[in-house]
Amino acid sequence: IIQISGHTDNEGTLEFNMEMSHDRAFAVKEQLIKLGLAANRIKTSGYGFTKPIGDNKTEVGRATNRRVEIQLKDKNSL
C-alpha cells in the first residue's frame, strides 16, 4: 500500500490548507495511477499545516512545509 500525505505551510485558513493538502496528495495519486499503479493500493491524506517540519516564520521553512510525503506500508498496518 502506498500512503500519500499532503502538507502546506501556515499561510491562509485551516480550511483552505486542508483542501489544498488533500488536492496535492490526490494529484500525486492520479500520476501514479497513470503510471500503472492500481488505485486501490494508494491511500491519500491531507494534513494542511498541522505537521510542519520547517519553521513557518521563514520563507525557507514555509517552502519546506509545502510538501507531499510518500510511504510504503504493509496492507495490515493501515
Side-chain angles (χ1 to χ4, degrees):
I1 300 293
I2 299 170
Q3 174 64 47
I4 303 171
S5 303
H7 301 271
T8 65
D9 61 23
N10 68 347
E11 299 288 311
T13 65
L14 176 62
E15 181 179 277
F16 175 80
N17 282 295
M18 291 300 285
E19 183 175 336
M20 183 184 298
S21 63
H22 281 283
D23 290 347
R24 280 190 178 143
F26 189 76
V28 172
K29 177 181 180 175
E30 290 295 301
Q31 288 299 315
L32 292 175
I33 291 169
K34 286 180 184 178
L35 292 171
L37 276 79
N40 66 337
R41 296 183 62 209
I42 305 170
K43 307 295 181 194
T44 59
S45 300
Y47 293 100
F49 53 71
T50 64
K51 295 185 176 192
I53 60 172
D55 184 352
N56 275 311
K57 295 179 183 177
T58 68
E59 181 55 39
V60 171
R62 286 189 297 276
T64 301
N65 291 329
R66 296 187 293 265
R67 69 192 188 281
V68 173
E69 297 175 340
I70 298 175
Q71 295 177 311
L72 302 178
K73 298 195 174 236
D74 183 288
K75 66 181 178 180
N76 297 321
S77 69
L78 295 174

